[in-house]
Amino acid sequence: MRKQKGNAAYIKNMNIKIVLDCIIEHEPISRSEISKRVMISKPTVSQLVNHLIVEGFVYETGMGNSTTTGGRKPVQLCFNPKTSYLIGVDIGGSKVASGITDLKGRVYSYREFATQEFLDEGLFKRLHTDIEEMLTELKLTTKNVLGIGVGVAGVTDIEKGVVINAPALAWQNCPIREKLSTYFELPIFVDNDVNISVLGEHWIGAGVDKTNIIYISIGTGIGSGIILNGNLYRGSNYSAGEFGYQVTDRQMARNFNPVVEGFGFLESMSGGISIGQQLSEKIKKQVTAKEAFEMADNGDENAQEVIQFAIENLGLGISNYISLFDPEIIILGGGISGSYPIFKDQLDEIIKKFTPRKCEVIPAKLGKEAGVIGACALLLKEYDSIYTI
Amino acid sequence: MRKQKGNAAYIKNMNIKIVLDCIIEHEPISRSEISKRVMISKPTVSQLVNHLIVEGFVYETGMGNSTTTGGRKPVQLCFNPKTSYLIGVDIGGSKVASGITDLKGRVYSYREFATQEFLDEGLFKRLHTDIEEMLTELKLTTKNVLGIGVGVAGVTDIEKGVVINAPALAWQNCPIREKLSTYFELPIFVDNDVNISVLGEHWIGAGVDKTNIIYISIGTGIGSGIILNGNLYRGSNYSAGEFGYQVTDRQMARNFNPVVEGFGFLESMSGGISIGQQLSEKIKKQVTAKEAFEMADNGDENAQEVIQFAIENLGLGISNYISLFDPEIIILGGGISGSYPIFKDQLDEIIKKFTPRKCEVIPAKLGKEAGVIGACALLLKEYDSIYTI
DNA sequence: AGTTAATAAGTAAACCTTACAAACTAATTA
DNA sequence: TAATTAGTTTGTAAGGTTTACTTATTAACT
C-alpha cells in the first residue's frame, strides 16, 4: 500500500496520542486544560481520557485547586509508566545485556553474560533464561510486556528482523526476529547497536528535546547513529552513519590498507584497536587504547603523539560530519569516550577551525545500561501502541 | 501548536490526496480501479473524484474498454496539470531567472536578466515586470497561479522567508518574502538555491522515484542539497550540506587559508575559482576552470595535474558523503559538472576504494531552466494545496 | 453567616462530516 | 438471458464539535 488512508479510527488514534503526550508532558493536568492546550473540544478530550484510563495509561489523582476567580476544582490526571513493561536486549561483541524497563525507561532488572561463551550455541536459549528470570523476579508475565527491542553490533535489515552482517559476532544473514519468536510471543524489533544508542540518548539521555542528533561511538571500531527531524535515519541500505569510513588524509589514503580487514580509514587512524596497535609498535610493548590515553595523560611523549594523531583525524571527521548535517548536538559514546576530558580541547579547536558554525559536542549520558535502554526506545519508537515516542 | 489534530476535514484532505496521486500515477484510470488500488470504498472514491473534478484537477475522458468477461465500460479519469500555474524564480550571483510552469513542471515561459545590473536597486521591480509580462503572454492572471517559489544563492530562513546571508549577492538578513509580497498577492516560499535544485531533480529530473538523494553543485563554489526519506533535509540552522567545508587532506589542512574569504577547504581545493587560480599560477596565464578542463582533455600536463588534484579531493569528499548518508544516488550539478565525462573514471575509482558500498553518481538532468523548475518544486512541496509533491 | 453572581470543570444531547456496506441501476460480453 | 463490471443511492456507524446543562467553587454583597 502506498500511503496510509484516513478513516475514523485513524483520527481517533491520532488524537488519543496527542492527549497522552500532553498528559505526559504536563502531568498532573486536568481534562479542561488538555482541551485548551491541544485545541480539541472538551467532550472529545473527556472521551479520549476515559479510554486512556480504561487502558491503564492514565489515572486520576485527586483534585487540583480552583483559580482565585472561582470555579469547580479540576480532576488531576497522571501518566502511569507501569501500564506495560519493555524488554531490551543488547547483543555486542563482548557481552549480551538484557533488561526490563517501564515506559519511562527506568531499568527494574538487568542481566548480562559473555557473548563468546555462547556464540557457537545456546545464545538465544541463555537469553531466554535471563529474561524469564527477570520477569519472575518482577512478578510479571508476557501479558504485562509490550514487546522486545534488540540492538545488535552489525548491519541490520529492520523490516525483516535479520542481521545482514555482524563481523563482531561472525553472523551473516542471521534471522534474529525469527529465532527469538520461538521463545517469545511478543512483537520484536531489531536494529543496529549504534542506532539504538542514539535512540536511548534521545529518549532519556543527552539528546532529550533535540531533533537532529549525531551519536558517535568510538570503541574498538568507530560507528555512528543519526537522528534527523526526531527520527532515526538509516539510509538506503541500512548503512548510513558509517563514520569509520571517513577519509581525512588524502596523502595517507593513497597507500591505505586497513589495520583490520573490514575497517575503514578513520577507524584505522582513530579507533581503539588502532590506537593500541600504533603505540604498541612504537614502544615494542603490547598496550591497549585505554592505557595509551593514560600514558599520554601522564606525559609519555610516544603516547601523546599517537593520541594526538588519532584525535586530529577524528576531529576532522567530526568537522566534516557537522558541515554536512548541521546537527544540534554531537554525542560521543563508546569506550574511548571515557577519556573525553583528555582530548576535549584539541577536538574543540579543530572543529572550530573547520566548520562554518559551531555545534555542541558532549559525552553520552547513559552508562552501562545504555544498550538496554536504547533497545527499549527502539521498541517504543517502532511499535504502534497508543504510547509512542 | 504541537501536533496536527485529526478531524473529519483532515481525513478527507488526506484521502483526496491519495486519490489524486493515484490518478496522476496511473492515468487514465477509472473510479472503480482507484477504489481497488487505494483500498478506499467505491462511494467514497466517487465523492472525492467529484470534488477533484469540480476543483479542476481531474477531468473525465471518454470510456475505457470492458474486460472480456463483460461489464459496464469504465469512465476514464485524467489529471489536468493546467488547473494552476506556478511561478519559479532563481536569484543567482550572475543572473536572475524566472519562469512559469504547469503542475507537471513544463516551462511555458522563461526570462532572465543580469543580477549585477540591478543589485543595488530595482531588482524586485524588474523581476515583477518580467513576471507580469510572462503572465500576459500566457493570458494568465494571478487567479490562475498557485504561488511563487524562490531560490536564492545563500543561507535562507524558510519560515520567515528571509535570506540570512548571501555573499554572492552581498545580502544579509534580506526579507525576500516581504519584499516580493508588495508586488504579488500570492503565497511565497523561499529557499537556498542548491535546495531548490535537488527538489527540481527529485520532481522531474535525475532523482525521480528516489527517496534519498544528494545533489552536489560544483561551480565557482561547492554546495549541496539533501533529500532524505523524500523530504528536503535542511539541518538545525538551515545550513546542512555545506559540502565545500569538507576537509579531505589533514596535512594540507594544517596550514590552510581559504582561497577566497568564506570559502571552505574543499571549495579551495576543487571549486571552479580554485581550479582556475591553481592553473593560472602554474602557467602564469589567466585561465578559467572550464579552460583548465579542456586543456587537460587535450593532454596539457599542468592542467591534468591541477584537475587530478581537484578531483582527488572531490572524490574523497563524495566518498565521505556516501559513507555517512548511504544515499540511493548522487547527482552532480553546477558549471563543472559539464566536464563530468572527463573526470568520471577517476571519481568512480576513488569512490569505489573508500566507501563500504557503491552508490550511483550521475549528472543532473535539468538544464538552463533547472532553477526555475526547482523553485516551482519548492512551491508544490511547501504549499498545502490538494496537489502536493 | 447566608445569599447570590460569576466562573470554571466536566457531561449529555443533538448535530455535522466523513467513510463504508449493502443494495441498486446501468452497461456490457458471451 | 446470465454473468460481470462500473458507478450511484441509501442508510448507518464512528468520530468530533457545538450548545446547553449540571456540579462545584470563589468572591462579593447583604
Side-chain angles (χ1 to χ4, degrees):
Chain A
M1 200 189 311
R2 63 191 63 266
K3 215 172 172 182
Q4 178 63 46
K5 76 174 172 185
N7 55 24
Y10 179 84
I11 86 178
K12 180 170 184 182
N13 184 45
M14 194 168 161
N15 289 343
I16 206 169
K17 281 177 181 169
I18 294 177
V19 169
L20 182 56
D21 281 352
C22 179
I23 294 173
I24 291 172
E25 193 175 346
H26 299 102
E27 64 176 344
I29 187 175
S30 68
R31 291 167 174 80
S32 180
E33 201 188 332
I34 296 172
S35 172
K36 281 176 205 148
R37 278 192 185 273
V38 304
M39 314 256 280
I40 293 175
S41 67
K42 288 200 292 172
T44 302
V45 168
S46 279
Q47 194 211 316
L48 296 176
V49 165
N50 288 343
H51 202 109
L52 286 169
I53 289 175
V54 171
E55 297 266 341
F57 285 102
V58 163
Y59 59 97
E60 297 185 340
T61 163
M63 302 294 201
N65 292 323
S66 0
T67 57
T68 51
T69 55
R72 180 171 161 181
K73 283 182 178 171
V75 178
Q76 302 289 50
L77 301 166
C78 279
F79 174 56
N80 172 18
K82 294 181 187 172
T83 329
S84 283
Y85 290 82
L86 312 171
I87 298 177
V89 177
D90 179 15
I91 305 178
S94 54
K95 67 171 201 263
V96 175
S98 55
I100 295 179
T101 77
D102 66 12
L103 295 176
K104 282 197 168 173
R106 277 180 298 226
V107 179
Y108 286 88
S109 192
Y110 180 87
R111 291 273 195 293
E112 60 180 55
F113 61 86
T115 313
Q116 296 305 323
E117 287 176 33
F118 296 85
L119 202 48
D120 294 333
E121 214 192 311
L123 190 145
F124 292 99
K125 200 175 168 189
R126 167 66 197 263
L127 187 56
H128 177 239
T129 318
D130 274 7
I131 292 172
E132 286 295 342
E133 266 180 46
M134 289 191 287
L135 287 174
T136 316
E137 183 187 311
L138 299 173
K139 298 196 176 63
L140 297 174
T141 70
T142 48
K143 301 266 179 218
N144 309 108
V145 175
L146 197 68
I148 306 179
V150 185
V152 184
V155 179
T156 307
D157 180 331
I158 63 145
E159 260 89 46
K160 295 186 191 140
V162 172
V163 176
I164 298 168
N165 185 21
L169 303 160
W171 283 357
Q172 285 202 325
N173 294 312
C174 174
I176 293 238
R177 180 185 292 156
E178 206 181 299
K179 292 197 176 188
L180 276 176
S181 37
T182 62
Y183 292 102
F184 301 97
E185 277 196 17
L186 285 168
I188 298 168
F189 296 89
V190 190
D191 205 334
N192 179 269
D193 60 342
V194 218
N195 284 348
I196 65 163
S197 296
V198 222
L199 286 176
E201 295 288 340
H202 182 41
W203 186 26
I204 54 166
V208 172
D209 288 335
K210 308 285 180 184
T211 53
N212 299 311
I213 306 170
I214 306 292
Y215 175 95
I216 297 178
S217 163
I218 315 162
T220 49
I222 292 180
S224 71
I226 304 165
I227 284 180
L228 303 181
N229 299 327
N231 291 307
L232 207 49
Y233 174 70
R234 297 185 170 94
S236 309
N237 308 284
Y238 306 107
S239 67
E242 286 280 19
F243 188 51
Y245 282 79
Q246 287 287 293
V247 179
T248 48
D249 190 324
R250 191 186 107 257
Q251 294 164 61
M252 290 196 70
R254 282 193 163 169
N255 37 359
F256 162 67
N257 277 311
V259 177
V260 178
E261 203 50 56
F263 261 39
F265 181 87
L266 185 60
E267 243 161 358
S268 304
M269 300 296 128
S270 314
I273 288 190
S274 164
I275 290 177
Q277 270 188 27
Q278 285 175 55
L279 185 57
S280 299
E281 273 174 35
K282 215 163 195 158
I283 63 175
K284 312 287 181 210
K285 190 189 139 199
Q286 210 56 34
V287 289
T288 65
K290 203 181 169 194
E291 288 162 347
F293 274 101
E294 281 161 9
M295 287 166 67
D297 208 27
N298 292 328
D300 182 295
E301 282 188 13
N302 283 317
Q304 281 176 348
E305 204 173 297
V306 168
I307 301 290
Q308 201 264 341
F309 174 79
I311 299 303
E312 191 177 352
N313 281 289
L314 180 67
L316 294 178
I318 294 180
S319 301
N320 289 347
Y321 223 141
I322 294 173
S323 301
L324 294 182
F325 281 85
D326 184 18
E328 275 168 281
I329 188 179
I330 301 249
I331 301 175
L332 293 182
I336 302 292
S337 70
S339 311
Y340 178 63
I342 302 175
F343 58 80
K344 177 185 186 312
D345 289 344
Q346 192 194 343
L347 201 62
D348 284 349
E349 197 184 322
I350 297 175
I351 293 173
K352 193 177 167 193
K353 181 170 176 190
F354 291 108
T355 55
R357 67 195 61 240
K358 74 191 200 49
C359 167
E360 207 182 343
V361 178
I362 58 173
K365 209 165 165 183
L366 306 179
K368 189 183 71 165
E369 293 156 342
V372 166
I373 294 171
C376 292
L378 173 73
L379 173 62
L380 276 186
K381 196 87 181 172
E382 297 295 322
Y383 184 57
D384 192 23
S385 111
I386 290 179
Y387 177 49
T388 310
I389 54 170
Chain B
M1 202 188 312
R2 60 192 65 268
K3 216 172 170 180
Q4 177 65 46
K5 77 175 171 185
N7 54 24
Y10 179 83
I11 86 179
K12 180 171 183 181
N13 185 44
M14 195 168 162
N15 289 341
I16 206 169
K17 280 178 183 170
I18 294 177
V19 169
L20 182 56
D21 281 352
C22 179
I23 293 172
I24 291 172
E25 193 174 349
H26 299 102
E27 64 177 342
I29 187 174
S30 69
R31 290 167 174 80
S32 180
E33 201 189 331
I34 295 171
S35 172
K36 281 176 205 149
R37 280 191 184 273
V38 304
M39 315 255 282
I40 292 174
S41 67
K42 288 200 293 174
T44 303
V45 168
S46 280
Q47 193 212 316
L48 296 175
V49 165
N50 287 343
H51 201 109
L52 286 168
I53 289 175
V54 171
E55 297 267 341
F57 285 101
V58 164
Y59 60 97
E60 297 185 340
T61 163
M63 302 294 203
N65 291 323
S66 357
T67 57
T68 51
T69 54
R72 177 172 162 181
K73 284 182 177 170
V75 178
Q76 303 289 52
L77 301 166
C78 280
F79 173 58
N80 172 18
K82 295 181 188 170
T83 330
S84 284
Y85 290 82
L86 312 171
I87 297 177
V89 176
D90 180 14
I91 305 178
S94 54
K95 65 170 201 264
V96 176
S98 55
I100 295 179
T101 77
D102 67 13
L103 295 176
K104 282 196 167 172
R106 275 179 300 227
V107 179
Y108 286 89
S109 191
Y110 179 89
R111 291 274 194 293
E112 59 181 53
F113 61 87
T115 312
Q116 296 306 324
E117 287 176 34
F118 296 84
L119 202 49
D120 294 332
E121 215 193 311
L123 190 144
F124 292 100
K125 199 174 168 189
R126 168 64 198 261
L127 187 57
H128 176 240
T129 318
D130 273 8
I131 292 173
E132 285 295 341
E133 264 181 47
M134 289 191 288
L135 287 173
T136 316
E137 183 187 311
L138 299 173
K139 297 194 179 65
L140 297 174
T141 70
T142 48
K143 301 264 179 218
N144 310 110
V145 175
L146 197 67
I148 306 179
V150 184
V152 184
V155 178
T156 307
D157 181 332
I158 63 144
E159 261 89 47
K160 296 189 191 136
V162 171
V163 175
I164 299 168
N165 186 18
L169 303 160
W171 283 356
Q172 285 203 325
N173 295 310
C174 174
I176 293 239
R177 179 185 291 154
E178 206 181 299
K179 291 198 178 188
L180 276 175
S181 37
T182 62
Y183 292 102
F184 301 98
E185 277 195 18
L186 284 168
I188 297 168
F189 297 90
V190 190
D191 205 335
N192 179 269
D193 60 341
V194 217
N195 284 347
I196 65 163
S197 296
V198 223
L199 285 175
E201 294 289 339
H202 182 41
W203 185 26
I204 55 166
V208 172
D209 289 334
K210 309 284 180 186
T211 52
N212 299 311
I213 307 169
I214 306 291
Y215 174 94
I216 297 177
S217 164
I218 316 163
T220 48
I222 293 181
S224 71
I226 304 165
I227 284 181
L228 303 180
N229 299 326
N231 291 307
L232 206 49
Y233 174 69
R234 295 186 171 95
S236 308
N237 309 284
Y238 307 108
S239 69
E242 286 279 19
F243 188 51
Y245 283 80
Q246 288 286 294
V247 180
T248 48
D249 189 323
R250 191 186 107 259
Q251 294 164 60
M252 290 195 70
R254 282 190 164 172
N255 38 359
F256 161 69
N257 277 312
V259 177
V260 177
E261 203 50 57
F263 261 39
F265 181 87
L266 186 60
E267 242 163 358
S268 304
M269 300 296 127
S270 312
I273 287 190
S274 165
I275 291 177
Q277 271 189 26
Q278 285 175 55
L279 185 57
S280 299
E281 273 174 34
K282 214 166 194 155
I283 62 176
K284 314 285 179 209
K285 192 189 137 200
Q286 209 57 35
V287 288
T288 65
K290 201 180 171 195
E291 286 162 348
F293 275 101
E294 280 161 9
M295 287 166 67
D297 207 29
N298 292 330
D300 182 294
E301 282 186 15
N302 283 317
Q304 280 176 348
E305 206 173 297
V306 168
I307 300 290
Q308 202 263 341
F309 173 79
I311 300 303
E312 193 178 349
N313 281 292
L314 180 66
L316 294 178
I318 293 180
S319 300
N320 290 347
Y321 223 142
I322 294 174
S323 301
L324 295 182
F325 281 86
D326 184 20
E328 276 169 281
I329 188 178
I330 301 251
I331 301 175
L332 294 182
I336 302 291
S337 72
S339 311
Y340 178 63
I342 303 175
F343 59 80
K344 177 184 186 316
D345 290 344
Q346 191 194 343
L347 201 62
D348 284 349
E349 198 184 321
I350 296 175
I351 293 173
K352 193 178 167 192
K353 182 172 174 192
F354 291 108
T355 57
R357 68 194 62 244
K358 73 191 198 53
C359 168
E360 206 183 343
V361 179
I362 58 172
K365 210 165 164 181
L366 306 178
K368 187 184 72 165
E369 291 155 344
V372 165
I373 293 171
C376 292
L378 172 73
L379 173 62
L380 276 186
K381 196 86 180 175
E382 298 295 323
Y383 185 58
D384 192 24
S385 111
I386 292 180
Y387 177 50
T388 310
I389 53 171

